[in-house]
Amino acid sequence: MRLRVEFTTEPFDLEEAPAHAVVAREVIQSAELDAVDVGPFGNTAEGGADAVLTAVDALLRKSLAAGATRVSLQVNVIGGSRESVESKEGEK
């Protein structure tokens, strides 16, 4: 299964990237993910389910520890239906 994560961290600072934003970017860029896109108003990355979920866990823990007061994220399954994922899990 492939996932796409989209996230932002707050509070925003338009003058300089806050520590929590820098940490979040480092976590995502160092993870084993595909199609990483970081920007000042939102970030996205894609990859296998295990890699994305591991990165999200690290992103939350490290961003909050670095001063984030809010982390907004969305995770979407891409490239397949939920039914095909469940049938593959049942084959294991």
Side-chain angles (χ1 to χ4, degrees):
M1 171 176 19
R2 287 187 55 78
L3 301 176
R4 175 184 297 123
V5 61
E6 301 173 47
F7 68 92
T8 58
T9 61
E10 296 179 39
F12 295 114
D13 183 343
L14 296 177
E15 307 257 333
E16 181 178 343
H20 59 81
V22 172
V23 166
R25 181 177 0 161
E26 289 171 352
V27 167
I28 290 301
Q29 289 177 327
S30 66
E32 295 181 19
L33 301 173
D34 310 324
V36 174
D37 183 24
V38 295
F41 301 109
N43 310 282
T44 61
E46 296 178 9
D50 287 338
V52 170
L53 295 174
T54 298
V56 166
D57 177 65
L59 166 76
L60 291 170
R61 292 175 188 278
K62 293 181 179 184
S63 295
L64 293 168
T69 57
R70 177 183 201 153
V71 179
S72 301
L73 64 91
Q74 179 174 306
V75 177
N76 293 300
V77 175
I78 56 175
S81 70
R82 183 72 201 146
E83 293 166 358
S84 66
V85 171
E86 288 172 351
S87 67
K88 287 181 184 176
E89 288 175 351
E91 293 173 2
K92 292 182 181 178

Coordinates of all heavy atoms in Angstrom, one line a residue:
M1 N 0.8 -1.2 0.0 CA 0.0 0.0 0.0 C 0.9 1.2 0.0 O 1.9 1.3 0.7 CB -0.9 0.0 1.2 CG -1.7 1.3 1.4 SD -2.9 1.4 2.8 CE -2.4 0.1 3.9
R2 N 0.5 2.2 -0.8 CA 1.2 3.5 -0.8 C 0.4 4.6 -0.2 O -0.8 4.6 -0.3 CB 1.5 3.9 -2.3 CG 2.6 3.1 -2.9 CD 3.1 3.6 -4.2 NE 3.5 5.0 -4.2 CZ 4.7 5.4 -3.8 NH1 5.6 4.6 -3.3 NH2 5.0 6.7 -3.9
L3 N 1.0 5.5 0.6 CA 0.4 6.5 1.3 C 1.0 7.9 0.9 O 2.2 8.0 0.5 CB 0.5 6.4 2.8 CG -0.1 5.1 3.4 CD1 0.2 5.1 4.9 CD2 -1.5 5.0 3.1
R4 N 0.1 8.9 0.9 CA 0.6 10.3 0.8 C 0.3 11.0 2.1 O -0.8 11.0 2.6 CB -0.1 11.0 -0.4 CG 0.3 12.5 -0.5 CD -0.4 13.2 -1.5 NE -0.1 12.7 -2.8 CZ -1.0 12.2 -3.7 NH1 -2.3 12.2 -3.4 NH2 -0.6 11.7 -4.9
V5 N 1.3 11.7 2.7 CA 1.0 12.5 3.8 C 1.2 14.0 3.5 O 2.1 14.3 2.7 CB 2.0 12.1 5.0 CG1 3.4 12.3 4.7 CG2 1.6 12.9 6.3
E6 N 0.3 14.8 3.9 CA 0.4 16.3 3.8 C 0.3 16.8 5.2 O -0.5 16.4 6.0 CB -0.8 16.8 3.0 CG -0.9 16.2 1.6 CD -2.2 16.6 0.9 OE1 -2.5 17.8 0.9 OE2 -2.9 15.7 0.3
F7 N 1.2 17.8 5.5 CA 1.3 18.3 6.9 C 1.8 19.7 6.9 O 2.5 20.2 6.0 CB 2.1 17.4 7.8 CG 3.6 17.5 7.4 CD1 4.4 18.4 8.1 CD2 4.1 16.6 6.5 CE1 5.8 18.4 7.7 CE2 5.5 16.7 6.1 CZ 6.3 17.6 6.8
T8 N 1.4 20.4 8.0 CA 1.9 21.7 8.4 C 2.2 21.7 9.9 O 1.5 20.9 10.6 CB 1.0 22.9 8.1 OG1 -0.3 22.6 8.7 CG2 0.7 23.0 6.6
T9 N 3.1 22.5 10.3 CA 3.3 22.7 11.8 C 3.1 24.2 12.1 O 3.3 25.0 11.2 CB 4.7 22.3 12.2 OG1 5.7 23.1 11.5 CG2 5.0 20.8 11.9
E10 N 2.7 24.4 13.3 CA 2.4 25.8 13.7 C 3.1 26.0 15.1 O 3.3 25.0 15.8 CB 0.9 26.0 13.8 CG 0.2 26.0 12.5 CD -1.3 26.2 12.6 OE1 -1.7 27.1 13.4 OE2 -2.0 25.5 11.9
P11 N 3.4 27.2 15.5 CA 3.0 28.5 14.9 C 3.9 28.8 13.7 O 5.0 28.4 13.6 CB 3.2 29.5 16.0 CG 4.2 28.9 16.9 CD 4.1 27.4 16.8
F12 N 3.3 29.6 12.8 CA 4.0 30.1 11.6 C 4.9 31.2 12.0 O 4.6 32.0 12.9 CB 3.0 30.6 10.5 CG 2.1 29.5 10.0 CD1 0.8 29.5 10.2 CD2 2.7 28.4 9.2 CE1 -0.1 28.5 9.7 CE2 1.9 27.4 8.7 CZ 0.5 27.5 8.9
D13 N 5.9 31.4 11.2 CA 6.8 32.6 11.3 C 7.3 32.8 9.9 O 8.0 32.0 9.3 CB 8.0 32.3 12.2 CG 8.9 33.5 12.4 OD1 8.8 34.5 11.6 OD2 9.7 33.5 13.3
L14 N 6.8 33.9 9.3 CA 7.1 34.2 7.9 C 8.5 34.7 7.7 O 9.1 34.7 6.6 CB 6.1 35.1 7.3 CG 4.7 34.6 7.2 CD1 3.7 35.6 6.7 CD2 4.6 33.3 6.4
E15 N 9.1 35.2 8.8 CA 10.5 35.8 8.7 C 11.6 34.7 8.7 O 12.6 34.8 8.0 CB 10.7 36.7 9.9 CG 9.6 37.8 10.1 CD 10.1 39.1 9.6 OE1 11.3 39.4 9.6 OE2 9.2 39.9 9.2
E16 N 11.4 33.7 9.5 CA 12.4 32.7 9.7 C 11.7 31.3 10.0 O 10.8 31.3 10.8 CB 13.4 33.1 10.8 CG 14.5 32.1 11.1 CD 15.4 32.6 12.1 OE1 15.4 33.8 12.5 OE2 16.1 31.7 12.7
A17 N 12.2 30.3 9.5 CA 11.6 28.9 9.8 C 11.8 28.6 11.3 O 12.9 28.6 11.7 CB 12.2 27.9 8.9
P18 N 10.7 28.4 12.0 CA 10.9 28.0 13.4 C 11.5 26.6 13.5 O 11.5 25.8 12.6 CB 9.4 28.0 13.9 CG 8.5 28.1 12.8 CD 9.3 28.5 11.6
A19 N 12.0 26.3 14.7 CA 12.7 25.1 15.0 C 11.9 23.9 14.7 O 12.3 22.9 14.1 CB 13.2 25.0 16.4
H20 N 10.6 23.9 15.0 CA 9.7 22.8 14.8 C 9.5 22.5 13.3 O 9.4 21.4 12.9 CB 8.3 22.9 15.5 CG 7.6 24.1 15.1 ND1 6.8 24.2 13.9 CD2 7.5 25.3 15.7 CE1 6.3 25.4 13.8 NE2 6.6 26.1 14.9
A21 N 9.5 23.6 12.5 CA 9.4 23.4 11.0 C 10.7 22.8 10.4 O 10.6 21.9 9.5 CB 9.1 24.7 10.3
V22 N 11.8 23.2 10.9 CA 13.1 22.7 10.5 C 13.2 21.2 10.8 O 13.6 20.4 10.0 CB 14.3 23.5 11.1 CG1 15.6 22.8 10.7 CG2 14.2 24.9 10.6
V23 N 12.8 20.9 12.0 CA 12.8 19.5 12.5 C 11.9 18.6 11.6 O 12.3 17.5 11.2 CB 12.4 19.4 14.0 CG1 12.1 17.9 14.4 CG2 13.5 19.9 14.8
A24 N 10.7 19.1 11.3 CA 9.7 18.3 10.5 C 10.3 18.1 9.1 O 10.2 17.0 8.6 CB 8.4 19.1 10.4
R25 N 10.9 19.1 8.6 CA 11.5 19.0 7.2 C 12.7 18.0 7.2 O 12.8 17.1 6.3 CB 12.1 20.4 6.8 CG 12.7 20.4 5.4 CD 13.1 21.7 5.0 NE 12.9 22.7 6.0 CZ 13.4 23.9 6.1 NH1 14.3 24.3 5.2 NH2 13.2 24.7 7.1
E26 N 13.5 18.0 8.3 CA 14.6 17.1 8.4 C 14.1 15.6 8.5 O 14.6 14.7 7.9 CB 15.5 17.4 9.5 CG 16.3 18.7 9.3 CD 17.0 19.2 10.5 OE1 16.8 18.6 11.7 OE2 17.8 20.1 10.4
V27 N 13.0 15.4 9.3 CA 12.5 14.1 9.5 C 12.0 13.6 8.1 O 12.3 12.4 7.7 CB 11.3 14.1 10.5 CG1 10.5 12.8 10.4 CG2 11.9 14.3 11.9
I28 N 11.2 14.3 7.4 CA 10.7 13.9 6.1 C 11.7 13.7 5.1 O 11.7 12.7 4.3 CB 9.6 14.9 5.6 CG1 8.4 14.8 6.6 CG2 9.2 14.7 4.2 CD1 7.7 13.5 6.7
Q29 N 12.7 14.6 5.0 CA 13.7 14.5 4.0 C 14.7 13.3 4.3 O 15.3 12.8 3.3 CB 14.5 15.8 3.8 CG 13.7 16.9 3.2 CD 14.4 18.2 3.1 OE1 15.2 18.6 4.0 NE2 14.1 19.0 2.1
S30 N 14.8 12.9 5.5 CA 15.7 11.8 5.8 C 15.0 10.4 5.8 O 15.7 9.4 5.9 CB 16.4 12.0 7.2 OG 15.5 12.0 8.2
A31 N 13.7 10.5 5.8 CA 12.9 9.2 5.7 C 13.1 8.6 4.3 O 13.4 9.2 3.4 CB 11.5 9.5 6.1
E32 N 12.7 7.3 4.3 CA 12.8 6.6 3.0 C 11.5 6.7 2.3 O 10.7 5.8 2.1 CB 13.1 5.1 3.3 CG 14.5 4.8 3.8 CD 14.7 3.4 4.1 OE1 14.1 2.5 3.5 OE2 15.6 3.1 4.9
L33 N 11.2 8.0 1.8 CA 10.0 8.4 1.1 C 10.3 8.8 -0.3 O 11.4 9.2 -0.6 CB 9.3 9.5 1.9 CG 8.9 9.1 3.4 CD1 8.4 10.4 4.1 CD2 7.9 8.0 3.4
D34 N 9.2 8.8 -1.1 CA 9.3 9.2 -2.5 C 8.6 10.6 -2.6 O 7.8 10.9 -1.8 CB 8.6 8.3 -3.4 CG 9.0 6.8 -3.2 OD1 10.2 6.6 -2.9 OD2 8.1 6.0 -3.3
A35 N 9.0 11.3 -3.6 CA 8.2 12.5 -4.0 C 8.0 13.5 -2.8 O 6.9 14.0 -2.6 CB 6.9 12.2 -4.6
V36 N 9.1 13.8 -2.1 CA 9.0 14.7 -1.0 C 9.0 16.2 -1.5 O 9.8 16.5 -2.4 CB 10.3 14.5 0.0 CG1 10.3 15.6 1.0 CG2 10.2 13.1 0.6
D37 N 8.1 17.0 -1.0 CA 8.0 18.4 -1.4 C 7.7 19.2 -0.2 O 6.7 19.1 0.5 CB 6.8 18.5 -2.4 CG 6.7 20.0 -2.9 OD1 7.7 20.7 -2.9 OD2 5.6 20.3 -3.3
V38 N 8.7 20.0 0.2 CA 8.6 20.8 1.4 C 8.5 22.3 1.0 O 9.1 22.7 0.0 CB 9.7 20.6 2.4 CG1 9.7 19.2 3.0 CG2 11.1 20.9 1.8
G39 N 7.7 23.0 1.7 CA 7.5 24.4 1.4 C 7.0 25.2 2.6 O 6.8 24.6 3.7
P40 N 6.9 26.5 2.5 CA 6.6 27.3 3.7 C 5.2 27.2 4.2 O 4.9 27.4 5.3 CB 6.8 28.8 3.2 CG 6.7 28.7 1.7 CD 7.1 27.3 1.3
F41 N 4.2 26.7 3.3 CA 2.8 26.6 3.7 C 2.3 25.2 3.7 O 1.1 25.0 4.0 CB 2.0 27.5 2.8 CG 2.4 29.0 2.9 CD1 3.0 29.6 1.8 CD2 2.2 29.7 4.1 CE1 3.5 30.9 1.9 CE2 2.7 31.0 4.2 CZ 3.3 31.6 3.1
G42 N 3.1 24.3 3.4 CA 2.6 22.9 3.4 C 3.7 22.0 2.8 O 4.6 22.4 2.1
N43 N 3.6 20.7 3.2 CA 4.6 19.7 2.8 C 3.9 18.4 2.5 O 2.8 18.1 3.1 CB 5.5 19.4 4.0 CG 6.0 20.7 4.6 OD1 6.9 21.3 4.1 ND2 5.4 21.2 5.7
T44 N 4.4 17.7 1.5 CA 3.9 16.4 1.1 C 5.0 15.4 0.9 O 6.1 15.8 0.6 CB 3.0 16.5 -0.2 OG1 3.9 16.9 -1.3 CG2 1.8 17.4 0.0
A45 N 4.6 14.2 1.1 CA 5.6 13.1 0.8 C 4.7 11.8 0.5 O 3.6 11.7 1.0 CB 6.5 12.9 2.0
E46 N 5.3 10.9 -0.3 CA 4.7 9.7 -0.6 C 5.7 8.5 -0.3 O 6.9 8.7 -0.4 CB 4.3 9.6 -2.1 CG 3.2 10.7 -2.4 CD 2.9 10.6 -3.9 OE1 3.3 9.7 -4.6 OE2 2.2 11.5 -4.3
G47 N 5.1 7.4 -0.1 CA 5.9 6.2 0.1 C 5.1 5.0 0.5 O 3.9 5.1 0.6
G48 N 5.8 3.9 0.8 CA 5.2 2.7 1.3 C 4.6 3.0 2.7 O 5.0 3.9 3.4
A49 N 3.5 2.3 3.0 CA 2.8 2.5 4.2 C 3.7 2.5 5.5 O 3.6 3.4 6.3 CB 1.7 1.5 4.4
D50 N 4.6 1.5 5.6 CA 5.4 1.5 6.8 C 6.4 2.7 6.9 O 6.5 3.3 7.9 CB 6.3 0.2 6.8 CG 5.5 -1.1 7.1 OD1 4.4 -0.9 7.7 OD2 5.9 -2.2 6.7
A51 N 6.9 3.1 5.8 CA 7.8 4.2 5.8 C 7.1 5.5 6.1 O 7.6 6.4 6.9 CB 8.5 4.4 4.4
V52 N 5.9 5.7 5.5 CA 5.1 6.9 5.8 C 4.7 6.9 7.3 O 4.8 8.0 8.0 CB 3.9 7.1 4.9 CG1 3.0 8.2 5.3 CG2 4.4 7.3 3.5
L53 N 4.2 5.8 7.8 CA 3.7 5.8 9.2 C 4.9 6.0 10.2 O 4.7 6.7 11.2 CB 2.9 4.5 9.4 CG 1.6 4.4 8.6 CD1 1.0 3.0 8.9 CD2 0.7 5.5 9.0
T54 N 6.0 5.4 9.9 CA 7.2 5.6 10.7 C 7.6 7.1 10.7 O 7.9 7.7 11.7 CB 8.4 4.7 10.2 OG1 8.0 3.4 10.4 CG2 9.6 5.0 11.0
A55 N 7.6 7.7 9.5 CA 8.0 9.1 9.4 C 6.9 10.0 10.1 O 7.3 11.0 10.8 CB 8.1 9.5 7.9
V56 N 5.7 9.7 10.0 CA 4.6 10.5 10.7 C 4.8 10.4 12.2 O 4.7 11.4 12.9 CB 3.2 10.0 10.3 CG1 2.2 10.6 11.2 CG2 2.9 10.5 8.9
D57 N 5.1 9.2 12.7 CA 5.4 9.1 14.2 C 6.6 10.0 14.6 O 6.5 10.7 15.6 CB 5.7 7.6 14.5 CG 6.0 7.4 16.0 OD1 5.2 7.7 16.8 OD2 7.2 7.1 16.3
A58 N 7.7 9.9 13.9 CA 8.8 10.7 14.2 C 8.5 12.2 14.0 O 8.9 13.1 14.8 CB 10.0 10.3 13.3
L59 N 7.8 12.6 13.0 CA 7.4 14.0 12.7 C 6.6 14.5 13.9 O 6.9 15.6 14.4 CB 6.6 14.0 11.4 CG 5.8 15.3 11.2 CD1 6.8 16.4 10.7 CD2 4.7 15.1 10.2
L60 N 5.6 13.8 14.4 CA 4.8 14.3 15.5 C 5.7 14.4 16.7 O 5.6 15.5 17.4 CB 3.7 13.3 15.7 CG 2.6 13.3 14.7 CD1 1.6 12.2 14.9 CD2 1.9 14.7 14.6
R61 N 6.4 13.4 17.1 CA 7.2 13.4 18.3 C 8.2 14.5 18.3 O 8.4 15.3 19.3 CB 7.8 12.1 18.6 CG 6.9 11.0 18.9 CD 7.6 9.6 19.0 NE 6.6 8.6 19.1 CZ 6.0 8.2 20.2 NH1 6.3 8.8 21.3 NH2 5.1 7.2 20.2
K62 N 9.0 14.6 17.2 CA 10.1 15.6 17.2 C 9.6 17.0 17.0 O 10.2 18.0 17.6 CB 11.1 15.2 16.1 CG 11.8 13.9 16.4 CD 12.8 13.5 15.4 CE 13.5 12.2 15.8 NZ 14.5 11.8 14.9
S63 N 8.6 17.2 16.2 CA 8.0 18.6 16.0 C 7.4 19.2 17.3 O 7.7 20.3 17.6 CB 7.0 18.6 14.9 OG 7.5 18.3 13.7
L64 N 6.7 18.3 18.0 CA 6.1 18.8 19.3 C 7.2 19.1 20.3 O 7.1 20.1 21.0 CB 5.1 17.8 19.8 CG 3.8 17.6 18.9 CD1 3.0 16.4 19.4 CD2 3.0 18.9 19.0
A65 N 8.2 18.2 20.3 CA 9.3 18.4 21.3 C 10.1 19.7 20.9 O 10.7 20.3 21.8 CB 10.3 17.2 21.2
A66 N 10.1 20.1 19.6 CA 10.8 21.3 19.2 C 10.0 22.6 19.3 O 10.4 23.6 18.8 CB 11.3 21.1 17.8
G67 N 8.8 22.5 19.8 CA 8.0 23.7 20.0 C 6.7 23.9 19.2 O 6.0 24.9 19.3
A68 N 6.4 22.9 18.4 CA 5.1 23.0 17.6 C 4.0 23.0 18.6 O 3.9 22.2 19.6 CB 5.0 21.9 16.6
T69 N 3.0 23.9 18.4 CA 1.8 23.9 19.2 C 0.6 23.2 18.5 O -0.4 23.0 19.1 CB 1.4 25.3 19.6 OG1 1.2 26.1 18.4 CG2 2.5 26.0 20.4
R70 N 0.8 23.0 17.2 CA -0.2 22.3 16.4 C 0.5 21.7 15.2 O 1.3 22.3 14.5 CB -1.2 23.3 15.9 CG -2.3 22.7 15.0 CD -3.2 23.8 14.5 NE -4.5 23.2 14.1 CZ -5.6 23.8 14.2 NH1 -5.7 25.1 14.6 NH2 -6.7 23.2 13.8
V71 N 0.1 20.4 14.9 CA 0.5 19.7 13.7 C -0.7 19.3 13.0 O -1.5 18.5 13.6 CB 1.4 18.5 14.0 CG1 1.9 17.8 12.7 CG2 2.7 19.0 14.8
S72 N -1.0 19.8 11.8 CA -2.1 19.3 11.0 C -1.6 18.4 9.9 O -0.6 18.7 9.2 CB -2.8 20.5 10.3 OG -3.2 21.4 11.3
L73 N -2.2 17.2 9.8 CA -1.8 16.3 8.8 C -3.0 15.5 8.2 O -4.0 15.4 8.9 CB -0.7 15.4 9.3 CG -1.0 14.4 10.4 CD1 -1.4 13.1 9.8 CD2 0.3 14.2 11.2
Q74 N -2.8 15.1 7.0 CA -3.7 14.2 6.3 C -3.0 13.1 5.7 O -1.9 13.3 5.1 CB -4.4 15.1 5.3 CG -5.5 14.3 4.5 CD -6.2 15.2 3.6 OE1 -6.8 16.2 4.0 NE2 -6.2 14.9 2.3
V75 N -3.5 11.9 5.8 CA -2.8 10.7 5.2 C -3.9 10.1 4.2 O -5.0 9.8 4.6 CB -2.4 9.7 6.2 CG1 -1.8 8.5 5.6 CG2 -1.4 10.3 7.2
N76 N -3.5 9.9 3.0 CA -4.3 9.3 2.0 C -3.7 8.0 1.4 O -2.5 8.0 1.2 CB -4.6 10.3 0.8 CG -5.4 11.5 1.3 OD1 -6.5 11.3 1.7 ND2 -4.8 12.6 1.1
V77 N -4.5 7.0 1.2 CA -4.1 5.9 0.4 C -4.1 6.3 -1.1 O -5.1 6.9 -1.5 CB -5.1 4.7 0.6 CG1 -4.7 3.5 -0.2 CG2 -5.1 4.3 2.1
I78 N -3.0 5.9 -1.8 CA -2.9 6.3 -3.2 C -2.7 5.0 -4.0 O -2.1 4.1 -3.5 CB -1.9 7.4 -3.5 CG1 -0.5 6.9 -2.9 CG2 -2.3 8.7 -2.8 CD1 0.6 7.9 -3.3
G79 N -3.1 5.0 -5.2 CA -2.8 4.0 -6.1 C -3.5 2.6 -5.8 O -3.0 1.6 -6.3
G80 N -4.6 2.6 -5.1 CA -5.3 1.4 -4.9 C -6.5 1.6 -4.0 O -6.6 2.6 -3.3
S81 N -7.4 0.7 -4.1 CA -8.6 0.8 -3.3 C -8.4 0.1 -2.0 O -7.6 -0.8 -1.8 CB -9.8 0.2 -4.0 OG -9.6 -1.2 -4.1
R82 N -9.3 0.4 -1.0 CA -9.2 -0.2 0.3 C -9.5 -1.7 0.2 O -8.9 -2.5 0.9 CB -10.3 0.5 1.2 CG -10.3 0.0 2.6 CD -9.1 0.5 3.4 NE -8.8 -0.4 4.5 CZ -7.7 -0.7 5.0 NH1 -6.6 -0.3 4.5 NH2 -7.5 -1.5 6.0
E83 N -10.4 -2.1 -0.7 CA -10.7 -3.5 -0.9 C -9.5 -4.3 -1.3 O -9.2 -5.4 -0.8 CB -11.8 -3.7 -1.9 CG -13.1 -3.1 -1.4 CD -14.1 -2.9 -2.6 OE1 -13.8 -3.2 -3.7 OE2 -15.3 -2.5 -2.3
S84 N -8.7 -3.8 -2.2 CA -7.5 -4.5 -2.7 C -6.5 -4.6 -1.5 O -5.8 -5.6 -1.4 CB -6.9 -3.9 -3.9 OG -6.4 -2.6 -3.6
V85 N -6.4 -3.6 -0.7 CA -5.5 -3.6 0.4 C -5.9 -4.7 1.4 O -5.1 -5.5 1.9 CB -5.4 -2.2 1.2 CG1 -4.7 -2.3 2.4 CG2 -4.8 -1.2 0.2
E86 N -7.2 -4.8 1.7 CA -7.7 -5.8 2.7 C -7.5 -7.2 2.1 O -7.2 -8.1 2.9 CB -9.2 -5.5 3.0 CG -9.4 -4.3 3.8 CD -10.8 -3.9 4.0 OE1 -11.7 -4.4 3.3 OE2 -11.1 -3.0 4.8
S87 N -7.7 -7.4 0.8 CA -7.5 -8.7 0.3 C -6.1 -9.1 0.3 O -5.8 -10.3 0.6 CB -8.1 -8.8 -1.1 OG -7.3 -8.0 -2.0
K88 N -5.1 -8.2 0.1 CA -3.7 -8.5 0.2 C -3.3 -8.9 1.6 O -2.5 -9.7 1.9 CB -2.9 -7.4 -0.3 CG -2.9 -7.2 -1.8 CD -2.1 -6.1 -2.3 CE -2.2 -5.9 -3.8 NZ -1.5 -4.8 -4.3
E89 N -3.9 -8.1 2.6 CA -3.6 -8.4 4.0 C -4.1 -9.8 4.4 O -3.5 -10.5 5.2 CB -4.2 -7.3 4.9 CG -3.5 -6.0 4.8 CD -4.2 -4.9 5.6 OE1 -5.3 -5.1 6.1 OE2 -3.5 -3.8 5.7
G90 N -5.3 -10.2 3.9 CA -5.8 -11.5 4.2 C -5.0 -12.6 3.6 O -5.1 -13.8 4.1
E91 N -4.2 -12.4 2.6 CA -3.4 -13.4 1.9 C -2.2 -13.7 2.7 O -1.5 -14.7 2.5 CB -3.0 -13.0 0.5 CG -4.1 -12.9 -0.4 CD -3.7 -12.2 -1.8 OE1 -2.5 -11.9 -1.9 OE2 -4.6 -12.1 -2.6
K92 N -1.8 -12.9 3.7 CA -0.5 -13.1 4.4 C -0.7 -14.2 5.4 O -1.6 -14.6 5.9 CB -0.2 -11.8 5.2 CG 0.3 -10.7 4.2 CD 0.7 -9.5 5.0 CE 1.1 -8.4 4.0 NZ 1.4 -7.2 4.7

